[in-house]
Amino acid sequence: QVHLMESGGGSVQAGGSLRLSCPITGWTYSTFCMGWFRQTPGKEREGVAFITWGDHLDYAESVKGRFTISRDNAKNTLYLEMNSLTPEDTAMYYCVARPKIGFCYASATAASFDYWGQGTQVTVSS
């Protein structure tokens, strides 16, 4: 059974940094599209950053140049390095994964992902 568990969220001031981690257990597929969504109350989930098994990366325009997605294959862990945070980055962040690569871009729909973590809250104060 696939299990994702995010950690690393917290409260920071604008301009600060956080690193989210997401260990993935039970993954037996040879291909994948993995990434991060975020959501604030009253809004739809927004794709933030994605990575494929071929190391293709894609980012939402709002985070390009500030966020970096990466994966440690040995630890089977997904990361999201977030720098130069702004209050607009405040949200619940979710780690997601699916074995089908498909459309693995920041505009991918939330419904297309099979596996989700429980979320970790990021709060950025001005």
Side-chain angles (χ1 to χ4, degrees):
Q1 186 175 1
V2 176
H3 186 63
L4 289 67
M5 178 69 75
E6 306 92 336
S7 64
S11 297
V12 296
Q13 290 190 328
S17 299
L18 284 173
R19 188 193 196 202
L20 306 184
S21 299
C22 179
I24 301 173
T25 59
W27 192 266
T28 60
Y29 305 103
S30 58
T31 62
F32 62 83
C33 169
M34 295 179 177
W36 299 87
F37 276 85
R38 66 185 180 185
Q39 187 174 27
T40 55
K43 293 187 177 181
E44 292 188 359
R45 291 181 176 180
E46 173 193 20
V48 177
F50 294 89
I51 184 171
T52 68
W53 72 282
D55 288 332
H56 171 78
L57 309 178
D58 194 60
Y59 298 91
E61 285 296 326
S62 59
V63 306
K64 279 183 179 178
R66 300 187 299 120
F67 290 14
T68 302
I69 187 172
S70 63
R71 185 175 185 268
D72 185 325
N73 292 328
K75 296 181 179 179
N76 215 18
T77 299
L78 191 67
Y79 300 98
L80 185 67
E81 184 77 33
M82 305 185 295
N83 299 312
S84 302
L85 286 162
T86 73
E88 288 69 36
D89 296 315
T90 295
M92 184 71 79
Y93 284 72
Y94 298 90
C95 173
V96 299
R98 68 182 188 217
K100 180 180 178 182
I101 298 175
F103 188 80
C104 192
Y105 295 90
S107 55
T109 61
S112 69
F113 288 88
D114 304 297
Y115 304 104
W116 289 74
Q118 85 291 345
T120 186
Q121 178 67 37
V122 171
T123 302
V124 185
S125 58
S126 58

